């Protein structure tokens, strides 16, 4: 017994001695205005990544800390984070006391950013909206500058399209299978409901997915995590729309285990910043959660975001000189109102059921089932045996006369200026779409057939997703994440007739061809269609995608590292619902099924120099399937698959030096990314593309589908962000980005010309009984050309003052440079130098002139000054406040992007056009907003 007692005393002494080596830190987090505790605030030990979450009383506790100095950051969505330096003492509990967090009303800038990046999207949700992917709650100074200051000029982090980032809703990937990009309008206007976000930069580890080289954005809509209360806001702006109303109510987790959050908003404008761009959007959100017991919880999320907006046209410099930067050729007057012919209509509801299972204290499983359905429509005019109604059609502009007939033809020498002046006056008099003339033309036809109609390119997607994500703490310093996802897509694509414009019917034919070639559907030839009918093209795209990932993270005192791996399998096929007249044997029914299997590996290392300084490395190597869009190059009318298409190879890496201190936060990053084996498709009308056989049938001019395969790109550069608190109220910030984004090879160009099918049987080859309408143009010499659109250089400096009486003001200056136009791949093939009449190279090619014609245009640098400010008051139990910002204070006019027109597709035609001094087919450009403002008033109950 004596030995037992002594042994027990010895053990107790050992335990006590061990316990005395550990330290504890705790604190209580409250809202600055109300002094109420805030639940679910995350406190993080910066050096170790160890986290603690506040309970219902706002209290967090760190136990078993090493007795040394620690940097602790306290943060939650919608509030300005705080960082503390604390020295943990062995055997003692350090109480940080009450920590007050001030509401971060700058999150309202989400509204401003979305309107900026959404205004100039193409019909296919182009990459110009990539910066919307930066909407997140992170306080990284560089990321904030990239989103809110540089996003106005289409800045892309690391030069990457947003298809290389992963956007998730409750762990479910929201990137579209069609083009790889998220459709931001699917939850647009629901700022309050989407505030709870996590963001990882580059290939850094995410708890939800393997990710990609741009980063991962996770939006969490679990009802129980929303701060209880009511929020109502009213906003005004002069960007894409004028007004927004929004209201949100969150119950918090009630005693009976139920929690729910509802939110709704409306945004509207009779006319946005650009002429004729009307806007109407209604958004609704509901999330309901039932906590069944301590281990199980169910959450149902539903989102309905309807968005209808008028587009604005890209314009050449000639049109802008005549009509101004805000000019939009897509609209015209009808019955005293502006009517836009190019409307984008999005309505894709989301329903998601999530199950949360706390298997043990160290292991959890999140399972989701999601269904998204609805439509995306892009309207435009169609016409048969009639003139092009576009006011900026090249024959309506002065340059048509000065570039085409300077020395010969109908107008020679000194007559050209007078004719051009007359054309200029006529354009200014008839600068908008003439809806009255279209109706008159339709009603004057004896047959009742419409010469002009309004239709929409419609996509009706139905996407089913099921996934499960496992998280487990395998040991004190080892954690594991893993998941499996299945996605199935049925995408119905068709032309939908919207308006006969006074006529009685429309012919479902292609009037550029004759006989069977003109038929959209040989199974139902010579159809007459009316409003609501499908015509032109009609097909389904099917996709089945399975992917899985695992990730292991190891945390130690001086080093952390992680390893991740992924596998995916993608199956695509097309199912044609029309038997097209040109591709009678290659359009109706199912296409070949194409399958891609892909793998990826990534890893990273963090070296903690001390509690405030660390070095972080990340690297990834992966392959990924091409998108549906790039797999079927001419999906509207045939089942063809891009010849030899393969998966992309994506490689990336970055090295970071990070400082996190109470007064100073900074990050310096160097990155290097490559993308190989990319495929891109485009459609346009080209002149002088093909050889003229002289048979009267084949034509050197044609509407063509261009496919560029084997594209390689390199994005390398550096990032820097710094934030320093000069005083308790004044903060200075600086950010910089410098990159080189280039094509690194000469990819392959093929062109599909439907007209080749109309050549007699002896003159056209066939593939499996179908006409071979594809022409191989060989290499496009794109190597060392710049990737288009985004700035390679961006710099920002700013200062912010936050008064203890809950008002603040800030300003920043931004400089953006090295932005380039999107070049044509076809113009840089050897075909450019061939005479279409003979098929041989032109004589007497001027090398200097050729270099001038093919030189990539560089946009002028721009400087943007922005100011912001806000104030809040506590009135009884309510908080009332406002936020206001003015961007581009000095109203600088600048181009956000542009593209070469490839209509003049050979050296002779393009040189004649350019040397005239007034080219008819010069590049077209998009413009950014001039001086614009955003004001938001809100009240919290």
């Amino acid at each position: 017994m004596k030995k037992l007692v002594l042994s027990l005393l010895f053990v107790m002494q050992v335990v006590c001695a061990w316990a005395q080596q550990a330290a504890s830190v705790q604190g209580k987090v409250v809202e600055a205005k109300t002094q109420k505790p805030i639940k679910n605030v995350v406190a993080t030990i910066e050096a170790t990544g160890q986290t603690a979450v506040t309970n219902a009383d706002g209290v967090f506790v760190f136990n078993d800390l090493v007795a040394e100095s620690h940097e602790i950051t306290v943060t939650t969505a919608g509030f300005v984070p705080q960082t503390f330096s604390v020295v943990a003492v062995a055997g003692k509990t350090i109480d940080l006391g009450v920590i007050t967090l001030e509401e971060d009303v700058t999150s309202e800038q989400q509204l401003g950013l979305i309107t900026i990046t959404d205004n100039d999207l193409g019909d296919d949700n182009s990459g110009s909206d990539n910066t919307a992917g930066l909407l997140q709650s992170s306080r990284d100074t560089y990321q904030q500058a990239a989103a809110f200051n540089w996003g106005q000029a289409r800045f892309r982090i690391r030069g990457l399209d947003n298809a290389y980032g992963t956007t998730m809703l409750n762990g479910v990937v929201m990137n579209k299978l069609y083009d790889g990009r998220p459709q931001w309008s699917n939850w647009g206007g629901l700022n309050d409901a989407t505030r709870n976000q996590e963001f990882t930069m580059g290939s850094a580890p995410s708890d939800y997915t393997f990710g990609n080289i741009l980063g991962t954005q996770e939006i969490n809509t679990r009802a129980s995590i929303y701060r209880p209360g009511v929020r109502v806001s009213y906003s005004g702006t002069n960007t894409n729309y004028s007004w927004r109303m929004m209201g949100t109510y969150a119950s918090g987790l009630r005693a009976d285990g139920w929690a729910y959050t509802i939110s709704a908003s409306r945004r509207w404008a009779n006319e946005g910043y650009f002429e004729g761009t009307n806007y109407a959007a209604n958004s609704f959100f509901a999330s309901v959660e039932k906590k069944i017991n301590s281990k199980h919880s169910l959450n149902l999320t539903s989102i309905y975001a309807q968005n209808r907006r008028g587009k604005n046209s890209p314009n050449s410099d000639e049109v802008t000189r005549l009509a101004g930067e805000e000019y939009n050729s897509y609209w015209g007057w009808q019955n005293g109102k502006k009517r836009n012919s190019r409307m984008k209509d999005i309505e894709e509801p989301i329903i998601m059921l999530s199950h949360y299972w706390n298997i043990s204290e160290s292991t959890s499983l999140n399972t989701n089932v999601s269904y998204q359905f609805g439509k995306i429509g892009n309207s435009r005019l169609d016409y048969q045996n009639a003139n092009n109604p576009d006011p900026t059609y090249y024959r309506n502009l002065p340059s048509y006369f000065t570039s085409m007939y300077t020395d010969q033809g109908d107008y020679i020498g000194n007559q050209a200026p007078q004719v051009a002046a007359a054309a200029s006056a006529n354009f200014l008099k008839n600068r908008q779409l003439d809806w009255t003339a279209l109706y008159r033309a339709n009603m004057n036809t004896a047959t009742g057939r419409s010469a002009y109609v309004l239709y929409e390119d419609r996509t009706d997607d139905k996407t089913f997703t099921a996934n499960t994500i496992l998280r487990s703490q395998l040991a004190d310093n080892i954690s594991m994440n893993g998941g499996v996802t299945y996605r199935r897509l049925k995408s119905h694509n068709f032309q939908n007739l919207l308006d006969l414009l006074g006529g009685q019917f429309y012919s479902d034919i292609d009037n550029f061809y004759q006989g069977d070639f003109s038929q959209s559907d040989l199974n139902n030839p010579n159809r007459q269609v009316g409003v609501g009918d499908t015509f032109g093209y009609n097909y389904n795209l099917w996709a089945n995608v399975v992917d899985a990932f695992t990730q292991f993270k190891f945390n130690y005192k001086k080093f952390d590292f992680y390893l991740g791996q992924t596998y995916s399998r993608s199956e695509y096929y097309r199912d044609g619902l029309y038997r097209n007249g040109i591709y009678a044997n290659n359009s109706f029914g199912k296409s070949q099924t194409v399958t891609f299997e892909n793998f990826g590996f990534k890893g990273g290392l963090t070296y903690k120099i001390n509690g405030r300084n660390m070095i972080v490395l990340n690297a990834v190597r992966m392959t990924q399937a091409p998108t549906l869009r790039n797999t079927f190059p001419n999906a509207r009318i045939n089942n063809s698959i891009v010849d030899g298409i393969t998966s992309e190879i994506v490689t990336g890496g970055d090295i970071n030096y990070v400082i996190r201190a109470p007064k100073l936060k900074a990050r310096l990053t160097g990155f290097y990314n490559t993308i190989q084996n990319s495929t891109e498709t485009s459609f346009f009308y080209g002149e002088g593309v093909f050889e003229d056989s002289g048979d009267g049938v084949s034509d050197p001019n044609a509407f063509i589908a261009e496919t560029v395969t084997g594209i390689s790109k390199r994005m390398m550069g550096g990032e820097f962000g710094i934030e320093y608190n000069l005083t308790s109220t004044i903060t200075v910030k600086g950010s910089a980005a410098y990159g080189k984004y280039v094509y690194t090879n000469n990819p392959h160009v093929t062109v599909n010309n439907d007209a080749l099918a109309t050549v007699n049987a002896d003159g056209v080859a066939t593939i499996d009984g179908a006409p071979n309408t594809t022409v191989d143009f060989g290499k496009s010499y794109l190597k060392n050309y710049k990737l288009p659109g985004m700035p390679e250089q961006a710099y920002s400096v700013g200062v912010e003052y936050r008064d203890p009486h809950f008002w603040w003001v800030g300003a920043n200056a931004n400089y953006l440079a090295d932005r380039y136009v999107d070049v044509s791949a076809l113009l840089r093939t050897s075909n450019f130098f061939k005479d279409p009449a003979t098929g041989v190279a032109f004589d007497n090619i001027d090398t200097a002139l050729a270099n001038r014609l093919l030189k990539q245009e560089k946009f002028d640098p721009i400087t943007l000054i922005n100011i912001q400010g806000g104030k809040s008051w506590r009135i009884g139990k309510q908080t009332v406040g406002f936020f206001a910002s003015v961007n581009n204070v000095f109203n600088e006019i600048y181009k956000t992007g542009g593209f070469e027109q490839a209509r003049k597709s050979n050296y002779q035609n393009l040189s004649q056009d350019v040397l005239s001094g007034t080219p008819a087919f010069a590049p077209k450009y998009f413009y950014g907003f001039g001086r614009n403002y955003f004001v938001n008033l809100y009240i919290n109950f």
Side-chain angles (χ1 to χ4, degrees), residues 230-437:
V230 177
R231 180 182 176 91
V232 178
S233 65
Y234 191 88
S235 306
T237 182
N238 67 333
T239 51
N240 260 26
Y241 48 90
S242 302
W243 308 103
R244 185 200 70 179
M245 294 189 301
M246 182 168 63
T248 303
Y249 172 73
S251 69
L253 186 60
R254 305 191 314 185
D256 60 2
W258 285 94
Y260 59 92
T261 300
I262 56 174
S263 185
S265 77
R266 173 167 173 77
R267 295 165 290 162
W268 73 97
N270 292 327
E271 184 173 62
Y273 182 85
F274 296 98
E275 298 175 359
T277 53
N278 54 311
Y279 197 103
N282 300 291
S283 303
F284 302 93
F285 168 90
S287 180
V288 181
E289 181 178 355
K290 172 58 177 175
K291 185 176 181 181
I292 301 170
N293 52 43
S294 61
K295 290 186 175 294
H296 296 276
S297 184
L298 284 174
N299 192 94
L300 179 65
T301 295
S302 58
I303 297 176
Y304 172 80
Q306 175 271 333
N307 183 297
R308 180 174 172 81
R309 63 174 179 84
K311 300 179 185 179
N312 62 290
S313 59
N315 298 316
S316 65
D317 280 339
E318 177 188 19
V319 172
T320 300
R321 284 194 299 269
L322 290 170
E325 295 82 7
E326 298 174 19
Y327 172 71
N328 179 15
S329 66
Y330 293 159
W331 70 273
W333 292 102
Q334 183 179 356
N335 298 326
K337 295 182 179 180
K338 293 182 177 181
R339 184 181 182 184
N340 195 315
S341 63
R342 297 285 188 99
M343 300 294 297
K344 185 164 188 174
D345 197 350
I346 301 174
E347 192 173 347
E348 294 187 302
I350 302 168
I351 300 173
M352 186 178 300
L353 180 65
S354 303
H355 174 239
Y356 300 92
W357 180 15
N358 295 321
I359 300 173
S360 67
E361 290 186 359
S362 60
T363 304
S364 64
L365 187 69
N366 172 212
T367 302
N368 305 282
V369 177
S370 172
Y371 183 63
Q372 183 175 15
F373 59 98
K375 66 176 183 179
I376 298 178
N378 290 281
S379 69
R380 62 192 306 156
L381 291 168
D382 193 19
Y383 54 96
Q384 294 177 352
N385 300 316
N387 293 327
N388 190 328
D390 183 0
T392 60
Y393 180 57
Y394 75 99
R395 291 177 179 267
N396 297 332
L397 297 174
S399 59
Y400 171 67
F401 304 97
T402 55
S403 65
M404 300 288 286
Y405 303 105
T406 301
D407 299 316
Q408 57 185 355
D410 297 333
Y411 308 101
I412 56 175
N414 58 10
Q415 289 182 309
Q418 288 83 357
V419 176
S424 177
N426 186 65
F427 169 75
L428 292 174
K429 182 181 179 180
N430 302 283
R431 52 181 275 174
Q432 300 305 148
L433 194 63
D434 191 343
W435 289 101
T436 301

Side-chain angles (χ1 to χ4, degrees), residues 617-867:
L617 295 91
N618 299 288
V620 63
R621 173 81 170 183
M622 60 184 291
T623 60
Q624 63 181 22
T627 62
L628 278 166
R629 171 193 170 123
N630 292 327
T631 302
F632 299 93
N634 203 6
R636 291 186 175 185
I637 54 177
N638 65 44
N639 281 338
S640 297
I641 296 169
V642 172
D643 186 34
I645 190 168
T646 60
S647 294
E648 286 185 341
I649 302 173
V650 179
T651 305
D654 58 62
I655 181 170
N656 309 264
Y657 177 68
V658 181
I659 302 174
R660 291 173 180 168
K663 288 190 174 183
L664 175 65
K665 297 179 180 65
R667 175 171 63 87
L668 176 64
T669 298
F671 62 86
Y672 184 93
N673 297 310
T674 63
I675 300 170
Q676 299 170 279
N677 291 342
S678 286
T679 300
E680 295 178 1
T681 58
S682 58
F683 301 85
F684 55 88
Y685 190 88
E687 294 181 8
V689 181
F690 303 98
E691 296 180 20
D692 188 350
S693 64
D695 57 9
V697 180
S698 62
D699 192 339
N701 309 328
F703 184 81
I704 58 179
E706 177 192 78
T707 302
V708 187
T709 57
I711 304 171
S712 293
K713 308 172 186 178
R714 182 181 66 234
M715 293 71 58
M716 62 182 297
E719 303 166 341
F720 178 64
I722 186 170
E723 176 180 325
Y724 182 72
N725 297 328
L726 285 175
T727 69
S728 60
T729 57
I730 299 176
T731 303
V732 292
K733 302 178 180 180
S735 297
Y738 183 87
K740 293 295 182 182
Y741 314 137
V742 298
Y743 294 100
T744 58
N745 75 329
N746 298 318
H748 206 88
V749 175
T750 56
V751 169
N752 187 87
N753 179 10
D754 300 333
L756 293 179
T758 65
V759 182
N760 59 62
D762 295 331
V764 63
T766 62
I767 299 177
D768 297 331
N772 180 17
T773 55
T774 299
V775 179
D776 189 340
F777 281 85
K779 291 182 179 180
S780 177
Y781 294 92
L782 290 178
K783 187 175 182 179
N784 295 324
Y785 275 89
K786 299 288 188 176
L787 300 182
M790 67 285 190
E792 288 187 331
Q793 294 189 55
Y795 307 94
S796 178
V797 293
V799 62
E800 181 181 289
Y801 173 79
R802 287 186 175 269
D803 192 87
H805 297 93
F806 304 106
W807 66 269
W808 68 275
V809 64
N812 57 77
N814 306 275
Y815 177 81
L816 301 108
D818 293 356
R819 301 173 301 127
Y820 297 86
V821 78
D822 193 357
V823 298
S824 165
L826 181 62
L827 295 187
R828 286 154 181 86
T829 64
S830 59
N831 187 75
F832 177 74
F833 295 101
K834 292 181 180 180
D835 186 340
T838 62
V840 299
F842 290 109
D843 294 329
N844 303 319
I845 294 175
D846 185 332
T847 303
L849 175 59
N851 290 335
R852 174 187 165 190
L853 296 177
L854 298 179
K855 183 179 180 180
Q856 188 173 20
E857 180 184 353
K858 182 179 180 180
F859 297 141
D860 294 333
I862 58 175
T863 301
L864 301 174
I865 308 298
N866 306 323
I867 58 175

